[in-house]
Amino acid sequence: MTDSPSTAPSGPPATTNTGSFLHPKSPWPALWAMVIGFFMLLVDTTIVSVANPAIKAALDPDTNNFDNVVWVTSAYLLAYAVPLLITGRLGDRFGPKNIYLIGLATFTLASLWCGLSSTLEMLIVARAVQGLGAAFMTPQTMAVITRTFPPERRGAAMGLWGGTSGVAMLVGPLAGGFLVDGAGWEWIFFINVPVGIIGFVLAWMLVPRLETHSHRFDIPGVFLSAIALFLIVFGLQEGEKYDWGVIWGPISVWGLIIAGAVVLGVFLWYQSRTKSEPLVPMELFRDRNFSWSNITIAAVGFTVTAQSLPLMFFLQTGRGLTPTESALLLIPMAVAAGVLSPFAGKLLDRVDPRLMLVPGLTLVSIGLFLYAAMMNTETDVLWMLIPSAIIGIGNAGMWGPLATTATRNLPRHQAGAGAGIYNTTRTIGSVLGSAAIAVFMQSRIEAALPGASDMGASFGGGSLPDAVAGPFSDAMAQSMLLPAGFILLGVIAVLFLRRPKAVGRPHADAEPVIIAE
């Protein structure tokens, strides 16, 4: 079945009756309302990165292995990544407002469950449910921007979207530090409950109903993609634990990874051959900018997720800083990204995206290499404010411009599908980054500290003995080289982008289509 968009009403600008309030046909109130939920998702990610050492100390104190605690992040990202392809389509079919509200309610309730968890296993399951809620929410935000902002104004909207990530970088670590130090790690999740309730009410009142489109849902594609992702990520995540050998019976780590790659190949073949509506419309990839933006956002997702774990363990375990003190070192990053992102978005509406993306991604890589050089027991931690600021400037030229470039030419009736693919690609990169950095950190620690357990060292929290702190810090510095190098793949990818035809010119046919309830 092909998409069959409903016909938009003609005549004067429409108003929408959403909830019990009348609102003019302006895209900004809806975007501001949805940004609250998007902000909460980003804050939750950064809060958890700060709290990881405390979570390990509380729920997994008896091992010096990072594989278990990393599943707090990986379970969330895996549950987030797998449904994104279909949740974007659900927004097209049933309306982004309805799907967004379902996701926000799920995320908020799961946050309460996370805070009440008494074991690491329970927390991991609750985080997976949180990820499912996030999967329902995220594509709707991008779809609403794509469907309600004309291309020549979309950069400003994506600038707000990117600026939100910058503010979240500041609020998340700082709130995480204060909450972990003052009330305990549980409160990094409890704080989501009132924010989620406020966000739900505002979205219900302010987000309009948009036109819907008929879709058939590719259930075999959902299962194939889920199986492929699970096999690959589980194999990477557990590889170090099983010494890259046998897990059980005839099943080995490499067997799982290879099987996942095979299933992924079958999924892509099936998507190109299916005669019904595919989960991944391959025609979207005929747009060169959409294709290369997806490759770039995978590298970005990998890098952003992988960088936080070694940095926070170095600051809190290698140098003995508190979570709050660690978070304060990220203030330049957050301020630079938050202040510059809106300006970058407006500028993007008039310039070639490569003029912003190449410097932005390169600055992120430079900042991470500087972090690696400073991650030792001799350098004053205040010097780390410099790479923090450099990464923040790079982020301003990365998030919003990349999302705008990816979605600028998408047809409205496939906005949800495009947003779902883009966010799936980003989250797959994040999942792989989370798994890969755990493996890399563990291998570096075992190389630097083969007898750490005999020295009485605990990597779950608090400062290390002097004999261990230096080698541990070196291992974290070496681990930071992985994301620092990986982001350079994104720099190469954006060189293949083209200047969009829409840049600098209004589009008469790009006005938002809003249907009154």
Side-chain angles (χ1 to χ4, degrees), residues 1-7 92 211-215 277 413:
M1 178 183 296
T2 58
D3 295 329
S4 54
S6 53
T7 304
D92 286 340
E211 60 177 342
T212 59
H213 308 274
S214 298
H215 287 291
E277 190 172 1
H413 71 280

Side-chain angles (χ1 to χ4, degrees), residues 107-117 126 130 189-190 192-193:
F107 187 93
T108 303
L109 292 173
S111 296
L112 179 62
W113 183 9
C114 287
L116 296 174
S117 298
Q130 243 192 345
F189 299 110
F190 289 148
N192 289 337
V193 177

Side-chain angles (χ1 to χ4, degrees), residues 317-318 377-378 445 447-459 463-475:
T317 304
T377 55
E378 288 81 28
I445 288 173
L449 291 164
S453 299
D454 297 334
M455 299 178 194
S458 172
F459 302 149
S463 57
L464 294 170
D466 292 340
V468 178
F472 177 84
S473 298
D474 292 340

Side-chain angles (χ1 to χ4, degrees), residues 191-495:
I191 195 66
N192 289 337
V193 177
V195 176
I197 292 172
I198 293 171
F200 188 95
V201 172
L202 289 177
W204 179 76
M205 291 191 304
L206 298 175
V207 177
R209 288 187 64 183
L210 302 178
E211 60 177 342
T212 59
H213 308 274
S214 298
H215 287 291
R216 291 181 62 182
F217 296 107
D218 181 13
I219 301 302
V222 172
F223 280 105
L224 286 172
S225 62
I227 292 170
L229 284 174
F230 178 80
L231 290 174
I232 293 171
V233 173
F234 185 83
L236 288 172
Q237 187 72 58
E238 299 296 289
E240 192 70 29
K241 179 178 179 180
Y242 291 99
D243 197 25
W244 300 95
V246 174
I247 296 180
W248 63 83
I251 300 175
S252 68
V253 170
W254 284 111
L256 288 176
I257 295 173
I258 293 171
V262 171
V263 176
L264 183 62
V266 172
F267 166 73
L268 294 175
W269 174 83
Y270 172 77
Q271 292 298 287
S272 66
R273 296 291 183 138
T274 181
K275 298 190 182 299
S276 61
E277 190 172 1
L279 190 64
V280 177
M282 293 299 183
E283 63 268 21
L284 293 181
F285 290 95
R286 295 172 186 165
D287 180 359
R288 180 171 176 170
N289 284 358
F290 182 77
S291 298
W292 286 106
S293 294
N294 271 273
I295 293 172
T296 306
I297 198 61
V300 169
F302 183 104
T303 300
V304 170
T305 302
Q307 73 185 37
S308 62
L309 201 64
L311 179 61
M312 285 300 145
F313 270 100
F314 162 74
L315 292 174
Q316 296 179 39
T317 304
R319 297 300 299 266
L321 273 63
T322 67
T324 300
E325 291 168 341
S326 302
L328 289 172
L329 294 174
L330 302 181
I331 286 180
M333 182 190 306
V335 171
V339 170
L340 296 177
S341 289
F343 295 101
K346 292 179 181 179
L347 181 62
L348 183 70
D349 288 331
R350 299 189 293 272
V351 302
D352 189 316
R354 290 170 292 189
L355 296 178
M356 302 183 67
L357 287 166
V358 172
L361 294 164
T362 303
L363 284 174
V364 171
S365 181
I366 291 172
L368 293 176
F369 277 115
L370 283 176
Y371 266 143
M374 296 178 182
M375 289 168 67
N376 54 67
T377 55
E378 288 81 28
T379 302
D380 191 323
V381 293
L382 291 180
W383 283 105
M384 302 189 83
L385 295 171
I386 295 175
S388 176
I390 292 173
I391 293 173
I393 296 170
N395 270 268
M398 181 174 73
W399 289 106
L402 189 57
T404 304
T405 303
T407 59
R408 189 185 294 272
N409 297 323
L410 292 182
R412 281 199 301 266
H413 71 280
Q414 290 188 328
I421 293 169
Y422 182 83
N423 283 287
T424 299
T425 307
R426 174 180 60 82
T427 311
I428 289 172
S430 298
V431 172
L432 296 177
S434 176
I437 197 63
V439 172
F440 203 58
M441 284 172 61
Q442 196 66 39
S443 67
R444 293 300 84 212
I445 288 173
E446 291 187 359
L449 291 164
S453 299
D454 297 334
M455 299 178 194
S458 172
F459 302 149
S463 57
L464 294 170
D466 292 340
V468 178
F472 177 84
S473 298
D474 292 340
M476 294 301 98
Q478 293 165 14
S479 299
M480 187 63 80
L481 296 176
L482 178 64
F486 204 89
I487 191 68
L488 294 176
L489 296 177
V491 177
I492 296 172
V494 297
L495 294 175

